[in-house]
Amino acid sequence: MVHQDFEEEEEMDASSTSHSLGWETGWRLYEAYNELASASGRFEGKVEAPAVVVVGQQTDGKSALVEALMGFQFNHVGGGTKTRRPVELRLRYNPDCREAPYCRLVSDSEPRVSTPMPLADIQAYIEAENMRLESDPCQFSDKEIVINVEYKYCPNLTIIDTPGLIIPAPGRKSRILQSQARAVENLVRTKIQHREFIILCLEDSSDWVNATTRRVVMQIDPELSRTVLVSTKLDTKIPQFARASDVEVFLKPPASVLDGCILGDSPFFTSVPSGRVGSDREAIFRSNEEFKKAVSLREVEDVALLEEKLGRSLSREERSRIGVSSLRLFLEELLQKRYIESVPLIVSLLDKEHRSVTRKLREISQEISSLDEVKLKERAHAFHESFLTKLSLLLKGTVVAPPDKFGETLQDERINGGSFTGSDSFQLPNKMMPNAGMRLYGGAQYHRAMAEFRLVVGGMKCPPITREEIVNACGVEDIHDGTNYSRSACVIGVSKARETFEPFLHQLGFRLLHILKRLLPISVYLLQKDGEHLSGHDVFLKRIETAFTNFAESTEHACRAKCMEDLESTTRYVTWSLHNKNRAGLRHFLDSFAGTDNSTPTTIIGNTQATKLPDSKSSNSIVVDSSCSGQSQTITEMRLVDLLDNTLWNRKLAPSSERLVCALVHQIFHGIKEHFLVSTELKFNCFLLMPVVDKLPALLREELDSVFGDDLDSIFNITQLKCSLGQRKRDLEIELKQVQRLKEKFREINEALNF
């Protein structure tokens, strides 16, 4: 008789919210939300139906509590990790399902498809998934197992059971478990971040100071404003309290311990009897009805034990927090309230979705009707003009394309397009380049790259010149064996200039080619944004892409070849007027070295000038010229003899000769660098950048003529496209009917609620 009373009480609890709302309206509301949850994955707007997400440690009795809330057992409960995929249970109270719950497993790939399955098969599927993930490197998956359940003991709830949180031991030996703990915590945080979800936070502790699960929950819900706290395994905690005051604090913890505005104002306390349902010897309960009755009996016993410990009867408010039935009633009423509050918003969202699907259907119909040769040619010509317009716009400058998606900082550009580095591998610091941290594209990026090239190459110094290089450059002439240091300087200067500047030429070409190639995806984005893109014609678009890429590569190669010709001409023959501008500059340059030549020192003796002559036998031979008129001529003659001895007849490299050669090499290197910078920038602007504006249109027009000369069906995929568009149209028509049906359902429910 007692069991019968419990059964009647539980059936009344399970259906209480449906009766309070009105049986017909309540049933329609839950069914509409159930259908909405299945279809929401395809909606443009974000639709999250209210649900309860259960969060707890691995041994907090999380899955057992979920089963008690449902009224039947379905999962693998026990020690260790038994839940490796979240299980979403869409529960509906149905008094006609008396013998067993009616379950349907929703397909992972197609949310609209659900397969009726016996409870035993559902259990086997969940256990198989857990075993599969146990051997998987990821160990866990955030993809829910979705089950629709109807039963006479079910509340009207959507419950998401998550994997249990893990607290691993520290140390290197527990690294695998620590990695699993982080994976579970990230999964749980992801699930509870949806603001429409109610968080059921389980704590298996007799002291509320310990916040093992709340530590994770409060990272997402710091005020616990959408969190319901539940203390599980109450039957094991009551015997631990020695004094009634301890029980009082446990049942109603002070605000200093539980800060925040938790749902329900205070925690709930539950107990679930141990034991599984089945027919084998290990089973405690022979049916789900027995399990349900045991849960109800456990609740009565917990109330009796608490009153015994307290020495008084529990108040009505206190009793409303004890037991699974109280928690289920609270959650169902709370969720129903959220359902009702969300109805007007969902009606508005479905109206928007209906307009969106209608627009897509109209566009698909127009696209199907335009699949004939004349219209395809017109669209191709329009695409050609729009594409060129977007390219020109990107070079001239625009802010339409988002920089965070298409822009590149200087660091990104160097990684993707190469950097300007010489033989010493030195790279210009970012802080020395204007706009280095800005994400640029198009003409702005081209200009920054060219500015970096000028700054890097313009700052290049002539590489060091060794004595060995000078001596090796002094070969044997075809008519005499004397030395020619001016020739040596030219040989060294042009060689070092060629070795230094040629790599920069290739680096500049590669960098600017990278920038030009980036114009293609940005232009496609702009075309899509303006509705001018030829979607579905992949073969045609691929040919345009190939034509643009080939044009950019061939143009860059031709431009670089012109620059190489110029570099070869300036490093093959030295024109002194190019490097010294005029003869006066060259004479002044050489005189400065002659005046500092230490090999012919002069001294003044009285009113006469004495010149020390280089002599192999005596280093102190002095010629004294007492004649003022002949003084200058004698000094000039002696300097000439000394110069010939050091630069023509003597192969022993004197310091003055070394300085002279080094100075000439630096002068030649500097002249080539100035010419290389100016000519290279000018040629890349004229023969790489400008052809995009004045030659690319003609090339693409030729490509279009070539396309139109081929089989249009193979180029535009007309047959295949008609087939795919037809299928897409049928899918949209089905989706439109579904949205229309949902819109009507929620509109009728909204009218019934406002009646």
Side-chain angles (χ1 to χ4, degrees), residues 107-221:
S107 170
D108 285 341
S109 58
E110 181 50 64
R112 291 182 296 179
V113 178
S114 60
T115 306
M117 295 180 69
L119 186 58
D121 292 349
I122 296 282
Q123 292 170 327
Y125 175 79
I126 294 174
E127 290 181 17
E129 279 296 288
N130 290 333
M131 291 179 64
R132 177 184 66 82
L133 288 169
E134 191 172 355
S135 58
D136 189 86
C138 298
Q139 293 282 311
F140 298 91
S141 171
D142 60 355
K143 179 68 175 177
E144 297 99 342
I145 298 174
V146 181
I147 307 170
N148 294 325
V149 182
E150 297 177 18
Y151 194 34
K152 68 174 180 178
Y153 293 135
C154 276
N156 290 304
L157 291 175
T158 297
I159 300 177
I160 302 175
D161 186 16
T162 60
L165 298 168
I166 305 171
I167 304 179
R172 295 174 59 86
K173 293 183 179 180
S174 302
R175 283 181 298 178
I176 296 177
L177 199 59
Q178 292 166 4
S179 175
Q180 292 182 12
R182 289 191 295 269
V184 173
E185 191 167 316
N186 290 335
L187 189 153
V188 169
R189 280 201 299 263
T190 301
K191 290 301 172 188
I192 64 177
Q193 68 182 355
H194 300 291
R195 301 190 64 83
E196 297 81 3
F197 288 174
I198 298 165
I199 304 169
L200 199 62
C201 177
L202 274 54
E203 298 279 15
D204 180 14
S205 174
S206 57
D207 189 348
W208 287 108
V209 174
N210 299 319
T212 53
T213 306
R214 274 176 288 155
R215 174 188 61 83
V216 177
V217 170
M218 293 182 73
Q219 295 175 21
I220 305 298
D221 184 23

Side-chain angles (χ1 to χ4, degrees), residues 27-43 47 49 112 342-354 357 734-751:
W27 179 260
R28 286 162 53 201
L29 176 67
Y30 298 127
E31 279 301 300
Y33 267 106
N34 202 10
E35 186 177 349
L36 178 67
S38 299
S40 61
R42 300 187 305 276
F43 290 174
V47 180
R112 291 182 296 179
S342 301
V343 167
L345 177 64
I346 290 174
V347 170
S348 174
L349 188 146
L350 289 172
D351 280 334
K352 180 181 177 182
E353 187 66 23
H354 187 273
V357 176
I734 294 172
E735 185 176 343
L736 183 63
K737 291 179 180 178
Q738 187 177 28
V739 173
Q740 181 66 35
R741 184 171 62 252
L742 276 171
K743 188 173 76 167
E744 293 300 325
K745 280 186 178 182
F746 276 95
R747 182 166 290 160
E748 290 174 2
I749 292 169
N750 191 40
E751 292 173 356

Side-chain angles (χ1 to χ4, degrees), residues 198 228 263 329-338:
I198 298 165
V228 178
L263 289 175
L329 182 62
F330 175 78
L331 291 176
E332 195 172 8
E333 290 177 346
L334 180 62
L335 212 58
Q336 185 191 87
K337 182 181 178 183
R338 297 287 179 91

Side-chain angles (χ1 to χ4, degrees), residues 72-125:
F72 63 92
Q73 294 182 351
F74 79 103
N75 207 348
H76 190 188
V77 178
T81 302
K82 302 302 180 184
T83 304
R84 295 186 178 273
R85 277 183 68 180
V87 181
E88 181 176 338
L89 299 154
R90 299 170 183 171
L91 309 176
R92 296 294 173 263
Y93 168 72
N94 187 348
D96 297 330
C97 295
R98 293 182 172 272
E99 298 301 325
Y102 175 66
C103 304
R104 287 174 296 156
L105 181 65
V106 178
S107 170
D108 285 341
S109 58
E110 181 50 64
R112 291 182 296 179
V113 178
S114 60
T115 306
M117 295 180 69
L119 186 58
D121 292 349
I122 296 282
Q123 292 170 327
Y125 175 79

Side-chain angles (χ1 to χ4, degrees), residues 18 48 63 140 155 207 244 265 272 276 312 333 349 390 409 423 442 450 464 526 540 562 587 590 622 627-628 680 705:
S18 293
E48 288 289 355
S63 296
F140 298 91
D207 189 348
D265 298 328
V272 179
R276 306 304 294 166
R312 63 174 178 82
E333 290 177 346
L349 188 146
K390 303 306 181 189
T409 63
S423 58
M450 193 62 80
L526 297 180
F540 171 77
K562 293 178 184 294
R587 183 180 297 110
L590 294 174
I622 299 176
S627 173
C628 295
T680 300
D705 294 338

Side-chain angles (χ1 to χ4, degrees), residues 180 219 228 240 283 431 461 498 665 745:
Q180 292 182 12
Q219 295 175 21
V228 178
Q240 299 176 19
K431 62 182 180 180
K461 303 296 182 184
R498 177 74 176 263
V665 169
K745 280 186 178 182

